[in-house]
Short mmCIF file of all heavy atoms in Angstrom, two decimals:
data_model
loop_
_atom_site.label_atom_id
_atom_site.label_comp_id
_atom_site.label_asym_id
_atom_site.label_seq_id
_atom_site.Cartn_x
_atom_site.Cartn_y
_atom_site.Cartn_z
N ARG B 26 -18.65 255.28 37.63
CA ARG B 26 -17.98 256.44 38.25
C ARG B 26 -16.53 256.12 38.54
O ARG B 26 -16.25 255.20 39.28
CB ARG B 26 -18.66 256.89 39.47
CG ARG B 26 -19.89 257.75 39.21
CD ARG B 26 -20.24 258.63 40.38
NE ARG B 26 -20.27 257.90 41.65
CZ ARG B 26 -20.53 258.50 42.80
NH1 ARG B 26 -20.81 259.79 42.85
NH2 ARG B 26 -20.52 257.79 43.97
N TYR B 27 -15.65 256.85 38.03
CA TYR B 27 -14.20 256.81 38.29
C TYR B 27 -13.88 257.91 39.26
O TYR B 27 -14.72 258.81 39.46
CB TYR B 27 -13.45 256.93 37.00
CG TYR B 27 -13.66 255.88 35.98
CD1 TYR B 27 -14.89 255.82 35.27
CD2 TYR B 27 -12.80 254.84 35.77
CE1 TYR B 27 -15.16 254.82 34.41
CE2 TYR B 27 -13.07 253.79 34.86
CZ TYR B 27 -14.30 253.82 34.13
OH TYR B 27 -14.55 252.84 33.29
N ALA B 28 -12.69 257.84 39.92
CA ALA B 28 -12.41 258.79 40.97
C ALA B 28 -12.66 260.28 40.49
O ALA B 28 -13.22 261.04 41.22
CB ALA B 28 -10.97 258.56 41.44
N ALA B 29 -12.16 260.58 39.31
CA ALA B 29 -12.28 261.95 38.83
C ALA B 29 -13.70 262.37 38.52
O ALA B 29 -13.98 263.52 38.25
CB ALA B 29 -11.39 262.19 37.59
N ASP B 30 -14.61 261.41 38.49
CA ASP B 30 -16.05 261.69 38.21
C ASP B 30 -16.80 262.13 39.47
O ASP B 30 -17.97 262.48 39.36
CB ASP B 30 -16.71 260.48 37.59
CG ASP B 30 -16.12 260.06 36.23
OD1 ASP B 30 -15.48 260.91 35.64
OD2 ASP B 30 -16.26 258.89 35.86
N ILE B 31 -16.12 262.01 40.58
CA ILE B 31 -16.82 262.46 41.90
C ILE B 31 -16.94 264.02 41.88
O ILE B 31 -15.84 264.64 41.78
CB ILE B 31 -16.02 261.96 43.12
CG1 ILE B 31 -15.79 260.40 43.02
CG2 ILE B 31 -16.68 262.35 44.40
CD1 ILE B 31 -17.01 259.56 43.14
N GLU B 195 -6.76 256.01 32.33
CA GLU B 195 -7.22 256.95 33.36
C GLU B 195 -6.15 257.61 34.15
O GLU B 195 -5.42 256.83 34.93
CB GLU B 195 -8.16 256.16 34.36
CG GLU B 195 -8.67 257.07 35.44
CD GLU B 195 -9.13 256.28 36.72
OE1 GLU B 195 -8.70 255.12 36.88
OE2 GLU B 195 -9.89 256.86 37.58
N PRO B 196 -5.89 258.90 33.98
CA PRO B 196 -4.82 259.53 34.80
C PRO B 196 -5.15 259.32 36.33
O PRO B 196 -6.26 259.24 36.75
CB PRO B 196 -4.96 260.95 34.42
CG PRO B 196 -5.57 260.98 33.08
CD PRO B 196 -6.56 259.81 33.08
N ASN B 197 -4.08 259.22 37.10
CA ASN B 197 -4.24 259.09 38.56
C ASN B 197 -5.12 260.22 39.01
O ASN B 197 -5.02 261.36 38.63
CB ASN B 197 -2.91 259.27 39.23
CG ASN B 197 -1.88 258.18 38.82
OD1 ASN B 197 -1.43 258.25 37.63
ND2 ASN B 197 -1.57 257.31 39.67
N ALA B 198 -6.06 259.84 39.89
CA ALA B 198 -6.97 260.85 40.44
C ALA B 198 -7.42 260.43 41.82
O ALA B 198 -7.41 259.30 42.18
CB ALA B 198 -8.24 260.96 39.55
N CYS B 199 -7.70 261.47 42.67
CA CYS B 199 -8.36 261.13 43.89
C CYS B 199 -9.14 262.35 44.45
O CYS B 199 -8.98 263.48 44.03
CB CYS B 199 -7.37 260.61 44.98
SG CYS B 199 -6.39 261.85 45.73
N VAL B 200 -10.10 261.99 45.23
CA VAL B 200 -10.98 262.99 45.91
C VAL B 200 -10.90 262.67 47.34
O VAL B 200 -11.06 261.47 47.72
CB VAL B 200 -12.38 263.00 45.39
CG1 VAL B 200 -13.27 263.93 46.18
CG2 VAL B 200 -12.42 263.42 43.87
N ALA B 201 -10.68 263.67 48.22
CA ALA B 201 -10.68 263.43 49.64
C ALA B 201 -11.64 264.35 50.34
O ALA B 201 -11.82 265.46 49.95
CB ALA B 201 -9.28 263.60 50.22
N ILE B 210 -12.63 260.16 53.99
CA ILE B 210 -13.04 259.31 52.82
C ILE B 210 -12.22 259.70 51.65
O ILE B 210 -12.06 260.91 51.34
CB ILE B 210 -14.56 259.54 52.46
CG1 ILE B 210 -15.49 259.37 53.65
CG2 ILE B 210 -14.98 258.56 51.29
CD1 ILE B 210 -16.90 259.70 53.41
N VAL B 211 -11.63 258.72 50.99
CA VAL B 211 -10.80 258.95 49.80
C VAL B 211 -11.29 258.14 48.69
O VAL B 211 -11.42 256.93 48.80
CB VAL B 211 -9.33 258.61 50.09
CG1 VAL B 211 -8.48 258.77 48.85
CG2 VAL B 211 -8.82 259.54 51.18
N TRP B 212 -11.65 258.75 47.60
CA TRP B 212 -12.01 258.04 46.34
C TRP B 212 -10.69 258.02 45.56
O TRP B 212 -10.12 259.13 45.22
CB TRP B 212 -13.07 258.81 45.48
CG TRP B 212 -14.43 258.69 46.05
CD1 TRP B 212 -15.38 257.78 45.73
CD2 TRP B 212 -14.98 259.60 47.10
NE1 TRP B 212 -16.53 258.06 46.49
CE2 TRP B 212 -16.34 259.14 47.29
CE3 TRP B 212 -14.58 260.72 47.78
CZ2 TRP B 212 -17.19 259.76 48.22
CZ3 TRP B 212 -15.36 261.31 48.68
CH2 TRP B 212 -16.72 260.87 48.86
N ALA B 213 -10.15 256.87 45.27
CA ALA B 213 -8.81 256.81 44.63
C ALA B 213 -8.90 255.79 43.47
O ALA B 213 -9.70 254.85 43.49
CB ALA B 213 -7.81 256.41 45.67
N SER B 214 -7.96 256.04 42.53
CA SER B 214 -7.82 255.05 41.48
C SER B 214 -6.64 254.20 41.85
O SER B 214 -5.51 254.53 41.67
CB SER B 214 -7.56 255.80 40.13
OG SER B 214 -7.29 254.83 39.12
N THR B 215 -6.97 253.09 42.50
CA THR B 215 -5.89 252.30 43.08
C THR B 215 -6.14 250.78 42.94
O THR B 215 -7.33 250.35 43.01
CB THR B 215 -5.69 252.57 44.54
OG1 THR B 215 -4.66 251.74 45.10
CG2 THR B 215 -6.98 252.38 45.36
N GLN B 216 -5.07 250.02 42.74
CA GLN B 216 -5.18 248.57 42.73
C GLN B 216 -5.22 247.96 44.17
O GLN B 216 -5.44 246.81 44.30
CB GLN B 216 -3.99 248.02 42.01
CG GLN B 216 -3.92 248.43 40.53
CD GLN B 216 -2.67 247.97 39.82
OE1 GLN B 216 -2.11 248.79 39.06
NE2 GLN B 216 -2.19 246.79 40.06
N GLY B 217 -4.99 248.81 45.12
CA GLY B 217 -5.00 248.27 46.50
C GLY B 217 -5.67 249.15 47.51
O GLY B 217 -5.00 249.96 48.26
N PRO B 218 -6.92 249.22 47.53
CA PRO B 218 -7.66 250.18 48.47
C PRO B 218 -7.27 249.96 49.90
O PRO B 218 -7.05 250.95 50.68
CB PRO B 218 -9.17 249.79 48.31
CG PRO B 218 -9.26 249.20 46.92
CD PRO B 218 -7.91 248.46 46.71
N PHE B 219 -6.94 248.73 50.32
CA PHE B 219 -6.57 248.48 51.74
C PHE B 219 -5.13 248.98 52.01
O PHE B 219 -4.76 249.42 53.08
CB PHE B 219 -6.68 247.03 52.07
CG PHE B 219 -8.12 246.68 52.26
CD1 PHE B 219 -8.90 246.11 51.27
CD2 PHE B 219 -8.76 246.91 53.57
CE1 PHE B 219 -10.24 245.83 51.43
CE2 PHE B 219 -10.09 246.60 53.71
CZ PHE B 219 -10.81 246.04 52.67
N MET B 220 -4.32 248.93 50.90
CA MET B 220 -2.91 249.45 51.05
C MET B 220 -2.99 250.99 51.25
O MET B 220 -2.32 251.52 52.07
CB MET B 220 -2.15 249.04 49.76
CG MET B 220 -0.79 249.59 49.73
SD MET B 220 -0.74 251.25 48.96
CE MET B 220 -1.42 250.95 47.27
N VAL B 221 -3.84 251.64 50.39
CA VAL B 221 -3.96 253.05 50.50
C VAL B 221 -4.48 253.45 51.87
O VAL B 221 -3.99 254.37 52.54
CB VAL B 221 -4.87 253.67 49.39
CG1 VAL B 221 -5.13 255.13 49.60
CG2 VAL B 221 -4.25 253.37 48.01
N ARG B 222 -5.49 252.68 52.32
CA ARG B 222 -5.99 253.00 53.72
C ARG B 222 -4.91 252.89 54.76
O ARG B 222 -4.76 253.77 55.59
CB ARG B 222 -7.11 252.00 53.96
CG ARG B 222 -7.78 252.25 55.29
CD ARG B 222 -8.89 251.26 55.69
NE ARG B 222 -8.40 249.95 56.02
CZ ARG B 222 -9.11 249.07 56.64
NH1 ARG B 222 -10.36 249.29 56.97
NH2 ARG B 222 -8.60 247.88 56.96
N LEU B 225 -2.22 255.67 54.44
CA LEU B 225 -2.67 257.03 54.78
C LEU B 225 -2.85 257.13 56.31
O LEU B 225 -2.50 258.14 56.92
CB LEU B 225 -4.12 257.20 54.10
CG LEU B 225 -4.10 257.55 52.62
CD1 LEU B 225 -5.54 257.69 52.16
CD2 LEU B 225 -3.35 258.85 52.36
N ARG B 237 -11.62 255.62 55.03
CA ARG B 237 -12.36 254.77 54.12
C ARG B 237 -11.91 255.09 52.70
O ARG B 237 -11.89 256.27 52.29
CB ARG B 237 -13.84 255.17 54.28
CG ARG B 237 -14.76 254.41 53.33
CD ARG B 237 -16.22 254.82 53.54
NE ARG B 237 -17.09 254.07 52.72
CZ ARG B 237 -18.42 254.31 52.65
NH1 ARG B 237 -18.95 255.32 53.27
NH2 ARG B 237 -19.22 253.60 51.86
N VAL B 238 -11.46 254.07 52.00
CA VAL B 238 -11.00 254.24 50.65
C VAL B 238 -11.96 253.57 49.70
O VAL B 238 -12.34 252.37 49.87
CB VAL B 238 -9.58 253.64 50.41
CG1 VAL B 238 -9.14 253.74 49.00
CG2 VAL B 238 -8.61 254.40 51.39
N ILE B 239 -12.38 254.31 48.66
CA ILE B 239 -13.39 253.80 47.78
C ILE B 239 -12.84 253.87 46.39
O ILE B 239 -12.20 254.87 45.96
CB ILE B 239 -14.70 254.67 47.80
CG1 ILE B 239 -15.26 254.58 49.21
CG2 ILE B 239 -15.68 254.23 46.76
CD1 ILE B 239 -16.49 255.57 49.40
N CYS B 240 -12.95 252.77 45.62
CA CYS B 240 -12.60 252.77 44.21
C CYS B 240 -13.67 252.03 43.44
O CYS B 240 -13.76 250.79 43.39
CB CYS B 240 -11.24 252.09 44.03
SG CYS B 240 -10.72 252.04 42.30
N GLU B 241 -14.66 252.77 43.00
CA GLU B 241 -15.85 252.10 42.35
C GLU B 241 -15.43 251.48 40.98
O GLU B 241 -15.79 250.36 40.69
CB GLU B 241 -16.91 253.13 42.11
CG GLU B 241 -17.60 253.66 43.37
CD GLU B 241 -18.62 254.75 43.05
OE1 GLU B 241 -19.37 254.64 42.01
OE2 GLU B 241 -18.71 255.75 43.77
N HIS B 242 -14.77 252.27 40.13
CA HIS B 242 -14.26 251.83 38.93
C HIS B 242 -12.91 252.38 38.70
O HIS B 242 -12.63 253.50 39.11
CB HIS B 242 -15.19 252.25 37.71
CG HIS B 242 -16.50 251.60 37.81
ND1 HIS B 242 -16.83 250.36 37.32
CD2 HIS B 242 -17.68 252.05 38.34
CE1 HIS B 242 -18.07 250.06 37.54
NE2 HIS B 242 -18.63 251.09 38.23
N MET B 243 -12.03 251.67 38.00
CA MET B 243 -10.78 252.32 37.67
C MET B 243 -10.38 252.01 36.21
O MET B 243 -10.69 250.97 35.71
CB MET B 243 -9.67 251.97 38.66
CG MET B 243 -9.13 250.60 38.68
SD MET B 243 -7.88 250.34 39.91
CE MET B 243 -6.53 251.28 39.25
N GLY B 244 -9.66 253.02 35.69
CA GLY B 244 -9.29 252.91 34.28
C GLY B 244 -7.90 252.35 33.99
O GLY B 244 -7.12 253.03 33.37
N GLY B 245 -7.65 251.22 34.49
CA GLY B 245 -6.31 250.57 34.31
C GLY B 245 -5.34 251.00 35.33
O GLY B 245 -5.44 252.03 35.95
N LYS B 250 -0.42 251.34 39.67
CA LYS B 250 -1.35 251.88 40.66
C LYS B 250 -1.46 250.99 41.90
O LYS B 250 -2.44 251.02 42.63
CB LYS B 250 -2.72 252.13 40.05
CG LYS B 250 -2.75 253.39 39.12
CD LYS B 250 -4.10 253.66 38.61
CE LYS B 250 -4.08 254.77 37.56
NZ LYS B 250 -5.36 254.81 36.87
N ASP B 252 1.06 251.34 43.89
CA ASP B 252 1.90 252.17 44.80
C ASP B 252 0.95 253.25 45.46
O ASP B 252 -0.09 253.61 44.91
CB ASP B 252 3.00 252.91 44.02
CG ASP B 252 4.22 252.04 43.78
OD1 ASP B 252 4.06 250.81 44.05
OD2 ASP B 252 5.27 252.55 43.51
N ILE B 253 1.37 253.81 46.57
CA ILE B 253 0.78 255.05 47.07
C ILE B 253 1.44 256.17 46.31
O ILE B 253 2.55 256.14 45.90
CB ILE B 253 1.06 255.18 48.60
CG1 ILE B 253 0.29 256.38 49.16
CG2 ILE B 253 2.55 255.33 48.94
CD1 ILE B 253 -1.15 256.09 49.42
N TYR B 254 0.66 257.18 46.03
CA TYR B 254 1.12 258.36 45.23
C TYR B 254 1.11 259.51 46.19
O TYR B 254 0.22 259.65 47.03
CB TYR B 254 0.25 258.56 44.03
CG TYR B 254 0.63 257.59 42.90
CD1 TYR B 254 0.13 256.30 42.82
CD2 TYR B 254 1.53 258.00 41.90
CE1 TYR B 254 0.46 255.45 41.82
CE2 TYR B 254 1.91 257.14 40.89
CZ TYR B 254 1.34 255.86 40.80
OH TYR B 254 1.74 255.03 39.84
N HIS B 256 0.10 262.47 45.74
CA HIS B 256 -1.11 263.24 45.75
C HIS B 256 -2.20 262.64 46.67
O HIS B 256 -3.05 263.37 47.04
CB HIS B 256 -1.66 263.49 44.30
CG HIS B 256 -2.27 262.25 43.74
ND1 HIS B 256 -1.50 261.22 43.23
CD2 HIS B 256 -3.56 261.90 43.53
CE1 HIS B 256 -2.32 260.27 42.72
NE2 HIS B 256 -3.55 260.66 42.92
N GLU B 257 -2.06 261.38 46.92
CA GLU B 257 -3.12 260.77 47.83
C GLU B 257 -3.00 261.26 49.26
O GLU B 257 -4.01 261.52 49.96
CB GLU B 257 -3.07 259.27 47.72
CG GLU B 257 -3.61 258.81 46.37
CD GLU B 257 -3.16 257.43 45.81
OE1 GLU B 257 -2.28 256.84 46.39
OE2 GLU B 257 -3.76 257.03 44.87
N PHE B 258 -1.73 261.48 49.73
CA PHE B 258 -1.57 262.06 51.03
C PHE B 258 -1.98 263.55 51.02
O PHE B 258 -2.64 264.08 51.85
CB PHE B 258 -0.03 262.11 51.39
CG PHE B 258 0.55 260.70 51.60
CD1 PHE B 258 1.55 260.30 50.76
CD2 PHE B 258 0.17 259.95 52.66
CE1 PHE B 258 2.13 259.07 50.92
CE2 PHE B 258 0.79 258.72 52.85
CZ PHE B 258 1.74 258.27 51.97
N CYS B 260 -3.84 265.24 48.94
CA CYS B 260 -5.30 265.48 48.80
C CYS B 260 -6.07 265.45 50.19
O CYS B 260 -6.86 266.31 50.43
CB CYS B 260 -5.86 264.46 47.83
SG CYS B 260 -7.42 264.89 47.07
N VAL B 271 -11.63 267.97 48.31
CA VAL B 271 -10.63 268.33 47.36
C VAL B 271 -10.39 267.21 46.33
O VAL B 271 -10.33 266.05 46.66
CB VAL B 271 -9.24 268.56 48.08
CG1 VAL B 271 -8.11 268.93 47.03
CG2 VAL B 271 -9.32 269.65 49.11
N MET B 273 -7.91 265.95 43.13
CA MET B 273 -6.66 266.02 42.42
C MET B 273 -6.62 265.09 41.23
O MET B 273 -6.98 263.92 41.40
CB MET B 273 -5.50 265.79 43.34
CG MET B 273 -5.38 266.86 44.47
SD MET B 273 -4.00 266.63 45.56
CE MET B 273 -2.67 267.31 44.58
N ALA B 482 -9.69 244.13 43.84
CA ALA B 482 -9.97 245.29 43.12
C ALA B 482 -10.04 244.91 41.60
O ALA B 482 -9.32 243.97 41.16
CB ALA B 482 -8.82 246.29 43.29
N ASP B 483 -10.90 245.58 40.88
CA ASP B 483 -11.02 245.26 39.41
C ASP B 483 -10.51 246.52 38.72
O ASP B 483 -11.24 247.47 38.53
CB ASP B 483 -12.50 245.01 39.07
CG ASP B 483 -12.62 244.45 37.63
OD1 ASP B 483 -11.73 244.76 36.84
OD2 ASP B 483 -13.59 243.69 37.40
N GLY B 512 -14.42 247.29 46.23
CA GLY B 512 -13.86 248.62 46.16
C GLY B 512 -14.28 249.59 47.23
O GLY B 512 -14.42 250.78 46.95
N ASP B 513 -14.55 249.15 48.43
CA ASP B 513 -14.90 250.01 49.53
C ASP B 513 -14.37 249.41 50.80
O ASP B 513 -14.82 248.34 51.22
CB ASP B 513 -16.42 250.18 49.60
CG ASP B 513 -16.86 251.22 50.68
OD1 ASP B 513 -16.10 251.47 51.61
OD2 ASP B 513 -17.95 251.80 50.46
N THR B 514 -13.34 249.97 51.40
CA THR B 514 -12.73 249.36 52.57
C THR B 514 -13.66 249.29 53.80
O THR B 514 -13.41 248.59 54.72
CB THR B 514 -11.47 250.08 52.95
OG1 THR B 514 -11.75 251.48 53.20
CG2 THR B 514 -10.37 249.98 51.89
#
Side-chain angles (χ1 to χ4, degrees):
Chain B
R26 279 206 309 182
Y27 298 74
D30 298 338
I31 304 294
E195 179 203 17
N197 300 68
C199 76
V200 173
I210 306 174
V211 174
W212 288 264
S214 176
T215 178
Q216 296 172 224
F219 286 93
M220 175 275 298
V221 172
R222 182 181 75 162
L225 283 177
R237 178 181 186 186
V238 177
I239 298 173
C240 179
E241 292 178 39
H242 294 275
M243 70 182 290
K250 286 182 186 166
D252 278 17
I253 186 79
Y254 281 83
H256 72 285
E257 287 157 351
F258 297 114
C260 199
V271 177
M273 296 182 78
D483 191 333
D513 185 338
T514 57

